[in-house]
Amino acid sequence: MTKFIFLLLPFLAFSQKTETIDLSKSIKNNKTNYKSFTVIDKRSNPEIGSVMYHKDQVNLVFENNAETDFKNWFYKYNPLRGNEELVMLLENITLSEDKKEKFSIGKLEIRASTFIKKEDGYHFLYKKDTVTTVSSRTTPYLAQSLSKKLTLTFTDLLKKSYEARQWDFAVSETELPNYATILKDKLEILKADELKEGVYKDYYSFFTHNPEAGFTIETDKKGVVTKAVNGDKKEPIRNFYAFVHNGIPFKVIPVGYVEIFRDEQGLFIEAKKEELYPESNSSPMIMLGGGVAGIIGSVVANVAISAIDTNAAKKRSAMAGSEVILDPLTGNYILPEGFMKK
């Protein structure tokens, strides 16, 4: 038995290969310089995982380790000469494979976030919490394809972090693993019995419950909200993230706006894929007073649809919308499973 195991080991070693993550895409920040960049690796397992290529097991790996490689990547494109300390928290990077009868699906899970470190703690900037899949029907090189997607995901995380607003609330280093829960508990919009009337320029102002000062909401003759007014300044409602009118909150979407609901989990809207991701969204948004099968006309309307997407209006009257959660840390949509396939 011992001889058999000894002979088998070289074969096993030969059948294992590696795909090294190529962190070479530009992540240069043209607006802000930093005096330091820190990577905090809180992953439960430093190993990423593997997928198969024919009969070979291919492990996805960093060239050195996650902390070293991310820092080398950042410093390559961003010389240290600023005042702020940028921090990236790695929460999860996991690769797995779901084997079917005639093909397999590689799945890459990534959860990471960024902060600015100050004397009072860590101020949140942005986060990524994504699951990316690649089918062997598309390419047999699952590890290579998912490696590229990993690089693109972290490129997007860092570039969006450069532009993100720093949160006023800080968390301590010991609180970092639970930062999402701690920050969510501080959000006034999730606690208030009455919402402040007005328009909210971005997701941060909405979730912290701070409408734009001096603006009032203007509607057309049929009660459809069209713009926000502050003296001589008038802005179309599409320029805002959300608004509250007569005590009811609404989320602005590409084809109009929909009511925001709240439950014990947070805030969500009911919408369809065609409304959040219309095929054509290049035209300016024009609210239709009688649109969407006649359901618009007052502040109790469920949705206001623009003239640019009549197909979306027709489908809304025929199909029920899905619950789409609003992420309080980024303002992005958290889509239910299968949403983009509907």
Side-chain angles (χ1 to χ4, degrees), residues 97-105 134-137:
E97 184 175 8
D98 183 11
K99 297 180 181 179
K100 307 294 184 180
E101 185 177 350
K102 295 184 178 180
F103 66 98
S104 62
I105 298 174
V134 175
S135 172
S136 61
R137 287 176 168 176

Side-chain angles (χ1 to χ4, degrees), residues 255 272 274-275 288 290-296 303-321:
V255 295
K272 303 180 183 66
E274 293 81 5
E275 294 165 345
L288 290 181
V292 197
I295 65 172
I296 301 175
V303 67
I305 291 288
S306 67
I308 64 173
D309 203 330
T310 55
N311 287 332
K314 291 178 182 178
K315 290 182 179 180
R316 166 162 281 276
S317 62
M319 299 165 53

Side-chain angles (χ1 to χ4, degrees), residues 7-23:
L7 293 174
L8 184 61
L9 286 176
F11 172 78
L12 291 175
F14 178 77
S15 66
Q16 293 191 18
K17 297 184 177 180
T18 59
E19 175 68 34
T20 302
I21 298 167
D22 180 16
L23 297 175

Side-chain angles (χ1 to χ4, degrees), residues 129-245:
D129 190 352
T130 66
V131 177
T132 302
T133 59
V134 175
S135 172
S136 61
R137 287 176 168 176
T138 305
T139 174
Y141 305 104
L142 296 180
Q144 186 181 71
S145 179
L146 289 168
S147 174
K148 291 178 180 178
K149 289 182 181 294
L150 183 150
T151 299
L152 290 174
T153 298
F154 279 96
T155 298
D156 191 56
L157 169 64
L158 288 169
K159 287 189 173 182
K160 287 207 168 104
S161 298
Y162 300 155
E163 301 175 352
R165 173 176 176 170
Q166 297 178 29
W167 280 51
D168 294 331
F169 314 125
V171 295
S172 66
E173 187 163 352
T174 57
E175 293 174 325
L176 273 178
N178 300 312
Y179 77 90
T181 300
I182 293 170
L183 292 180
K184 185 177 178 180
D185 287 343
K186 295 178 181 291
L187 297 176
E188 185 64 28
I189 199 75
L190 302 178
K191 306 173 184 177
D193 294 328
E194 295 184 7
L195 301 183
K196 298 176 183 178
E197 295 281 312
V199 290
Y200 296 79
K201 192 68 176 179
D202 52 34
Y203 85 93
Y204 184 83
S205 63
F206 180 65
F207 279 97
T208 55
H209 207 195
N210 291 303
E212 294 294 300
F215 277 91
T216 58
I217 290 175
E218 187 173 288
T219 65
D220 64 12
K221 294 180 180 179
K222 295 187 178 182
V224 177
V225 174
T226 56
K227 57 179 68 73
V229 181
N230 185 358
D232 295 332
K233 185 177 182 180
K234 295 185 178 182
E235 287 196 45
I237 204 65
R238 68 173 179 269
N239 289 351
F240 299 91
Y241 178 81
F243 63 91
V244 176
H245 185 47

Side-chain angles (χ1 to χ4, degrees), residues 24-90:
S24 60
K25 192 173 179 63
S26 175
I27 50 170
K28 182 176 177 58
N29 186 350
N30 295 316
K31 296 181 180 180
T32 306
N33 295 315
Y34 301 96
K35 70 176 182 180
S36 68
F37 176 64
T38 302
V39 177
I40 301 176
D41 193 347
K42 290 291 186 180
R43 294 177 296 157
S44 58
N45 185 356
E47 303 296 326
I48 296 176
S50 63
V51 291
M52 297 299 295
Y53 173 67
H54 298 309
K55 295 183 179 180
D56 294 328
Q57 177 180 309
V58 184
N59 298 306
L60 186 60
V61 299
F62 287 101
E63 183 176 1
N64 300 290
N65 56 65
E67 180 179 354
T68 300
D69 289 4
F70 278 122
K71 290 178 71 173
N72 289 343
W73 184 31
F74 182 85
Y75 293 148
K76 177 181 178 181
Y77 293 99
N78 299 281
L80 300 181
R81 54 174 180 266
N83 298 315
E84 295 187 315
E85 299 180 47
L86 180 63
V87 176
M88 183 167 70
L89 176 68
L90 300 181

